[in-house]
């Protein structure tokens, strides 16, 4: 039975059903009973496997098709009327042409299948900054993931208006040649076909909460960003909130759930996770910048997650979690992945579904982009503000990426526009989160390259205008790099919990409590101002990763220059000026 009488909703569903021709239509009310029934059904067909319910209550395992394991950026489109509105960094096609192309792929695609109707909210249902969507899908896996990642069901259906975001997903034949992830920002519409993987099909996440929302945010004066949000509580009990943008698989989930080093814990420091991937940001009534997490769960990278690196993420996955493309340990019916522990199972099944022995096999058991979908409420350090629809006030914005060289451990921009420049020149070595080569340096402004729903030049301008609105209440902007390598290819900085040492400096800078050294690129800490207590790390090594090498930066400036030419006349003059200043500083 339909959960709403809203005509706009019902008419659209009728139209999509007429095209895809499902055998039946089922509304998702979000109840435990319905979720339990869907889990049982998915297990009966082999779509999911029920894991050891004593060790992992309500946890399940799913394997995707082997050619369907990451976001497909080359098949992701922004279809607006004018090509120049999509800009040089997005794939574009004329909307009418794309609708016609997709219609062929969707026609009859749900024959013999069920169409599930998922009313969902990005943000706390009924809060002023929440936005609603409906995803139609023929995948139970998608339904169950959406029920973890977003707020789903009757309460949403009751408040949904005419401006909801329409999302249609059909697995079709999972044909990679006909896989399309398409956004029509001007129609509030997302269409995804021939995939069953994460960011391609959980339409509330990257498709809505970043690509469509960034477009809406620009028109409405707010921002949708690929950022974690965390609160840092000092021994005096004061909490400061930071938002940080790193590209996919570059450490957002880890930083968002950081456990302070022992000496900090003893002194009374605590970290609270507000969000690990997406932030919706606006200027609050008090003139400060406020951020809220529109999601309700974590779609986290499994490999590398362990009791030491991220115990909070691991704890989050111990109940109600769906694991995708990890190793299935047949001895105790649990899961495993590279970097979980040093004891891989011998009697196991790998992510492709083949028998796997972790002691003797020379192939990886889990896919490098294997993931867990875990409810946010499981996280031991979830912020008391998590369910506060207003979000939290932001003291600092942090950009960062994976750079073996060049970028120091941390530096602070000189002011807001210089900070926007720092975000715009972000570069990172590519990871397994998207298909394509891994380890190649690419420019990824604000970690939004694959997620900006409009012209990136206009996006930069929007950032600059947000700064004008904020004036002297603007947060300070920083850049971090946890990933500097030594000659042998080892990470120099210990990272993870020890990153708090860098965050402490950042907060002190925001509060004017600590000095810095001015360099060609901005303010860098004096090595003695980073607290190394309890850490076996020499001050000389620290100096080496704080150093700004002018030759490397001169090469970097050339790369930036080349990247900027892409944007032509849309590159804001403010950023051009920042690049000129950088070049002059390097002389
Ligand atoms: P998406 O979900 O794709 O957006 O990724 P993410 O940015 O949340 O990345 P995540 O926190 O899952 O980390 C990805 C990988 O980076 C994992 O293999 C981590 O072990 C590794 N990583 C995270 N933080 C650090 C760090 O401080 N130092 C080092 N060396 N590796 C890190
Ligand atoms: C990312 O790639 O940034 C992710 C995973 O968070 S996905 O949902 O697939 O986009
Ligand atoms: Mn992400």
């Amino acid at each position: 039975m339909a959960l709403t009488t809203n005509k706009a909703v019902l008419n659209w569903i009728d139209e999509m059903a007429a095209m895809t021709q499902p055998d039946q239509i089922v509304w998702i009310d979000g109840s435990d009973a319905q979720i339990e029934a869907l889990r049982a059904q998915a297990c009966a067909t082999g779509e999911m496997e029920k894991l050891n319910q004593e060790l992992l209550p309500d946890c399940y395992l799913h394997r995707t098709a082997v050619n369907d394991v990451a976001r497909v950026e080359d098949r992701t489109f922004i279809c607006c009327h004018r090509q120049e509105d999509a800009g040089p960094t997005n794939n574009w096609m004329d909307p009418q042409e794309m609708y016609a192309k997709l219609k062929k792929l969707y026609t009859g695609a749900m024959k013999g299948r069920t169409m599930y109707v998922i009313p969902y909210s990005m943000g706390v249902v009924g809060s002023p900054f929440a936005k609603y969507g409906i995803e139609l899908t023929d995948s139970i896996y998608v339904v169950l993931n959406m029920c973890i990642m977003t707020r789903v069901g009757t309460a949403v259906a009751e408040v949904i208006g005419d401006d909801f975001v329409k999302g249609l997903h059909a697995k079709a034949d999972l044909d990679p040649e006909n896989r399309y992830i398409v956004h029509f920002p001007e129609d509030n519409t997302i269409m995804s076909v021939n995939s069953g993987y994460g960011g391609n099909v959980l339409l509330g996440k990257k498709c809505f909460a970043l690509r469509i929302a960034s477009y809406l945010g620009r028109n409405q004066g707010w921002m949708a960003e690929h950022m974690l949000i965390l609160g840092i509580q000092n021994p005096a009990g004061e909490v400061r909130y930071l938002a940080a943008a790193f590209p996919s698989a570059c450490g957002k989930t880890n930083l968002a759930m950081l456990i302070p080093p022992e000496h900090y814990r003893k002194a009374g420091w605590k970290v609270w996770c507000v969000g690990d991937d997406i932030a919706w940001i606006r200027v609050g009534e008090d003139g400060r910048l406020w951020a809220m997490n529109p999601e309700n769960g974590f779609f986290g990278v499994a490999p590398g997650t362990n009791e030491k690196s991220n115990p909070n993420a691991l704890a989050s996955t111990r109940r109600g979690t769906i694991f995708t493309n990890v190793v299935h340990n047949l001895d105790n019916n649990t899961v495993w992945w590279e970097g979980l522990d040093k004891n891989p199972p011998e009697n196991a099944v790998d992510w492709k579904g083949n028998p796997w022995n972790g002691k003797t096999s020379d192939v990886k058991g889990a896919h490098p982009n294997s993931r867990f979908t875990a409810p946010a409420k499981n996280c031991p350090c979830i912020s008391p503000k998590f369910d506060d629809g207003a979000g939290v006030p932001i003291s600092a914005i942090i950009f960062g990426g994976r750079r073996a060289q060049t970028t120091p451990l941390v530096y602070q921009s000189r002011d807001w526009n210089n900070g926007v420049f720092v975000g715009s020149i972000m570069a990172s070595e590519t990871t397994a989160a998207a298909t394509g080569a891994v380890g190649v340096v690419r420019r990824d402004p604000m970690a939004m390259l694959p997620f900006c729903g409009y012209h990136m030049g206009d996006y930069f301008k929007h950032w600059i205008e947000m700064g004008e609105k904020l004036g002297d209440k603007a947060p300070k902007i920083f850049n971090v790099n946890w990933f500097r390598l030594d000659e042998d290819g080892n990470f120099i900085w210990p990272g993870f919990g020890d990153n708090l040492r860098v965050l402490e400096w950042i907060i002190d800078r925001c509060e004017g409590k600590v000095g810095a050294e001015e360099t060609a690129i901005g303010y860098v800490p004096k090595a003695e101002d980073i607290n190394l207590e309890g850490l076996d790390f020499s001050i000389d090594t620290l100096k080496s990763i704080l150093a700004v090498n002018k030759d490397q930066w001169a090469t970097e400036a050339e790369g930036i220059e080349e990247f900027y030419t892409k944007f032509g006349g849309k590159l804001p003059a403010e950023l051009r000026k920042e690049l000129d200043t950088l070049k002059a500083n390097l002389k």
Side-chain angles (χ1 to χ4, degrees):
M1 221 196 51
L3 295 179
T4 175
T5 53
N6 182 316
K7 279 276 173 295
V9 172
L10 297 178
N11 289 345
W12 171 69
I13 294 173
D14 282 349
E15 202 186 314
M16 296 303 108
M19 175 166 72
T20 54
Q21 302 162 31
D23 280 9
Q24 54 166 343
I25 298 180
V26 171
W27 279 75
I28 301 301
D29 60 22
S31 65
D32 291 345
Q34 188 182 39
I35 287 173
E36 200 46 45
L38 288 170
R39 287 167 168 167
Q41 205 180 323
C43 289
T45 60
E47 188 178 346
M48 293 202 315
E49 288 172 74
K50 192 174 194 162
L51 294 166
N52 184 323
Q53 295 297 296
E54 258 160 53
L55 297 173
L56 297 169
D58 294 329
C59 290
Y60 293 80
L61 170 68
H62 173 77
R63 280 187 287 270
T64 64
V66 294
N67 65 18
D68 191 21
V69 293
R71 286 181 293 99
V72 279
E73 295 180 3
D74 55 331
R75 311 205 64 93
T76 299
F77 285 77
I78 301 294
C79 296
C80 41
H81 281 96
R82 301 188 323 163
Q83 179 165 11
E84 67 168 286
D85 291 339
T89 58
N90 282 312
N91 299 311
W92 176 88
M93 199 185 283
D94 174 73
Q96 291 319 313
E97 204 179 311
M98 182 57 96
Y99 277 126
K101 190 183 191 64
L102 292 175
K103 188 166 186 185
K104 289 196 192 120
L105 299 174
Y106 282 112
T107 298
M110 294 191 190
K111 269 189 194 153
R113 301 181 184 177
T114 300
M115 174 192 269
Y116 298 96
V117 180
I118 315 170
Y120 66 96
S121 173
M122 300 315 292
V124 177
V125 183
S127 73
F129 310 109
K131 298 210 170 287
Y132 309 118
I134 292 190
E135 176 163 355
L136 307 176
T137 178
D138 55 0
S139 159
I140 296 180
Y141 170 75
V142 168
V143 172
L144 294 174
N145 273 274
M146 284 293 285
C147 287
I148 298 171
M149 293 305 298
T150 71
R151 296 163 171 94
V152 164
T154 313
V156 182
E158 277 165 8
V159 292
I160 206 161
D162 289 358
D163 63 346
F164 68 101
V165 171
K166 310 174 182 80
L168 175 65
H169 166 246
K171 285 185 290 187
D173 314 312
L174 297 178
D175 172 8
E177 300 302 316
N178 279 307
R179 187 167 294 156
Y180 286 96
I181 319 300
V182 186
H183 309 72
F184 301 92
E186 291 153 354
D187 302 341
N188 254 352
T189 296
I190 306 158
M191 298 178 96
S192 163
V193 66
N194 277 308
S195 175
Y197 181 79
N200 296 333
V201 299
L202 308 179
L203 301 186
K205 195 172 178 61
K206 295 308 173 30
C207 299
F208 178 168
L210 287 179
R211 298 196 189 94
I212 297 286
S214 62
Y215 170 86
L216 294 175
R218 188 209 172 198
N219 293 341
Q220 300 167 0
W222 53 282
M223 305 200 286
E225 297 297 330
H226 192 196
M227 289 181 178
L228 67 96
I229 310 166
L230 88 170
I232 297 182
Q233 184 174 327
N234 67 19
E238 300 158 337
V239 185
R240 304 279 180 266
Y241 295 95
L242 315 179
F246 311 150
S248 301
C250 289
K252 288 183 299 302
T253 302
N254 276 272
L255 193 68
M257 300 177 191
L258 169 158
I259 297 209
E262 196 187 343
H263 131 82
Y264 280 82
R265 277 201 308 276
K266 284 198 177 137
W269 290 79
K270 282 201 186 86
V271 168
W272 301 106
C273 172
V274 181
D276 82 324
D277 198 49
I278 299 178
W280 283 1
I281 303 181
R282 62 178 207 290
V283 181
E285 276 168 21
D286 60 1
R288 291 189 293 172
L289 198 64
W290 286 70
M292 71 94 148
N293 170 15
E295 302 192 281
N296 201 28
F298 310 119
F299 187 59
V301 179
T305 305
N306 62 51
E307 205 47 73
K308 252 196 98 199
S309 66
N310 196 346
N312 285 322
L314 198 61
S316 305
T317 67
R318 300 296 95 174
R319 65 170 58 236
T321 294
I322 300 172
F323 297 92
T324 302
N325 294 339
V326 299
V327 174
H328 190 186
N329 180 345
L330 297 179
D331 283 337
N332 60 3
N333 190 24
T334 60
V335 289
W336 191 85
W337 49 76
E338 277 69 24
L340 173 64
D341 54 40
K342 295 202 166 77
N343 190 24
E346 294 174 63
N347 176 27
V349 177
D350 71 7
W351 71 272
K352 293 182 175 171
N354 297 321
W356 188 79
N357 180 334
K359 297 277 186 322
T360 58
S361 176
D362 47 17
V363 296
K364 288 204 159 120
H367 188 275
N369 192 36
S370 54
R371 299 257 170 180
F372 53 79
T373 318
K377 66 172 190 311
N378 284 359
C379 182
C381 67
I382 198 72
S383 165
K385 299 275 180 192
F386 178 76
D387 274 321
D388 184 336
V392 294
I394 296 298
S395 300
I397 290 174
I398 305 173
F399 296 118
R402 221 175 245 276
R403 292 300 295 273
Q405 294 189 347
T406 313
T407 314
L409 177 65
V410 56
Y411 68 101
Q412 181 188 356
S413 65
R414 285 183 296 272
D415 53 33
W416 180 271
N417 281 0
N418 181 235
V420 176
F421 173 73
V422 168
S424 79
I425 65 167
M426 258 171 74
S428 194
E429 287 140 27
T430 50
T431 65
T435 55
V438 167
V440 183
V441 174
R442 79 165 178 183
R443 300 257 157 228
D444 187 351
M446 284 83 169
M448 282 290 279
L449 183 74
F451 307 120
C452 184
Y454 60 101
H455 196 298
M456 191 73 81
D458 291 332
Y459 169 80
F460 294 153
K461 187 72 193 162
H462 185 41
W463 263 86
I464 287 168
E465 286 167 358
M466 289 293 287
E468 285 162 7
K469 272 201 257 180
L470 288 159
D472 59 9
K473 294 207 169 122
K476 304 279 183 280
I477 302 181
F478 298 80
N479 194 89
V480 298
N481 177 22
W482 317 137
F483 299 95
R484 290 276 287 249
L485 299 181
D486 64 16
E487 282 107 49
D488 302 324
N490 301 310
F491 293 116
I492 301 174
W493 177 247
F496 301 100
D498 288 308
N499 292 333
L500 183 60
R501 300 170 190 278
V502 173
L503 302 185
E504 185 188 9
W505 182 81
I506 288 177
I507 292 171
D508 283 349
R509 283 297 292 170
C510 293
E511 302 188 341
K513 289 185 185 157
V514 66
E517 258 161 53
E518 189 160 9
T519 72
I521 62 171
Y523 301 107
V524 171
K526 295 180 188 136
E528 58 274 18
D529 287 337
I530 301 280
N531 184 346
L532 294 180
E533 202 177 323
L535 184 65
D536 183 16
F537 195 80
S538 81
I539 194 127
D540 286 333
T541 315
L542 179 59
K543 280 182 184 156
S544 77
I545 56 173
L546 289 173
V548 176
N549 178 315
K550 284 200 175 182
D551 292 337
Q552 288 176 350
W553 274 93
T555 310
E556 193 71 6
E558 281 167 34
I560 299 164
E561 180 92 56
E562 190 194 324
F563 181 63
Y564 270 5
T565 57
K566 271 193 183 195
F567 305 108
K570 289 264 197 184
L571 183 79
E574 292 87 345
L575 295 188
R576 178 78 249 170
K577 201 171 131 215
E578 291 294 334
L579 176 56
D580 292 341
T581 306
L582 173 65
K583 287 202 279 193
N585 289 350
L586 289 167
K587 286 240 168 73

